[in-house]
Amino acid sequence: MSWSERDQQVWDSIKAWKRDLYDYEANDLEFTYVKWLDTAFGAVSEEVQESFFQRLDGWLFQLHSLIQGSQMQNDAKERILSTARTFNPDIQVVDDLAVLSIDQLHYIAEQHAGRHRLYSLVQGGITGTGGLVALGSDLPAMAVINLRSIQLIAASYGCDVQTPFETMTSLKVFHAATLPARLQAEAWDDLLQDLESKGSTYFFDGSEQLTDYTWLEGTLKQSMKALAISMFKGKKWSGLPLISMAIGAGSNYQLSRRITAFAEKYYQYRYLREKKS
């Protein structure tokens, strides 16, 4: 397929988005938070930290694998292929989606990204009720929702996450998208380096380490939501803690919005890079 004017417009928008990543400057509050985090983890031995983050990486791999192999995910991929065939009836497998235009792929991806942002909104509202079970299940539920959305965005752009390379890449996209804003440019560069150095379309040859204590910064900030919910859960209208529900719903929605936006920029970049070359 030839490079179109629309392809150039999307390519330029990705370049502008990347400039915003590189130009981001942390504020004083973020620097204070970083110093506190550095001090806290500086008191923990490297061996303990390494063991903890290896376990956390393992949990993310297992969660990714469970989602990937679920019937719900297989059904969603079939819906992606079914939608794609309305544009091109010759499409049979996920890899074939690369023949579609950037706008057609965005349409397919946005169907699933929008649905998962809605799931996050509902999950946040449930968390906002302030129950112990709801609060305790929020982070795992959000991990499932957002990992699933990235897998489906990847599939929408013709990248089958069942291969080792695409599995690791989708996990790295999730990791990068959930990092603090000041660290996302470096994570983006790491993703592109993996893309440039890959020796095959199947195996992953780069570093398989995902998390470190800097990644926990975003997770801890998300956990602060629980404190705000606890503060307002006693203020009820018609028997519902509407303020705390709004806090939970809004926070989760914005997080999923940032994650799906980052993921789609990455997979759009890959699609256009291949097309341009």
Side-chain angles (χ1 to χ4, degrees), residues 254-272:
Q254 289 300 324
L255 176 62
S256 287
R257 185 172 176 270
R258 291 195 301 272
I259 291 172
T260 54
F262 188 102
E264 187 164 17
K265 292 295 183 187
Y266 171 76
Y267 286 106
Q268 283 182 335
Y269 174 86
R270 281 186 60 176
Y271 166 83
L272 292 172

Side-chain angles (χ1 to χ4, degrees), residues 87-118:
F87 300 117
N88 186 328
D90 295 330
I91 289 173
Q92 299 298 322
V93 295
V94 167
D95 290 348
D96 295 340
L97 271 78
V99 304
L100 299 181
S101 72
I102 189 72
D103 285 333
Q104 290 168 337
L105 295 175
H106 170 70
Y107 171 80
I108 296 171
E110 183 57 26
Q111 283 187 316
H112 296 278
R115 187 175 293 121
H116 283 78
R117 289 194 294 268
L118 179 60

Side-chain angles (χ1 to χ4, degrees), residues 3 5 13 32 55 77 88 93 132 199 250:
W3 187 264
E5 182 179 349
S13 73
T32 301
R55 288 175 181 271
K77 284 202 290 186
N88 186 328
V93 295
L132 288 177

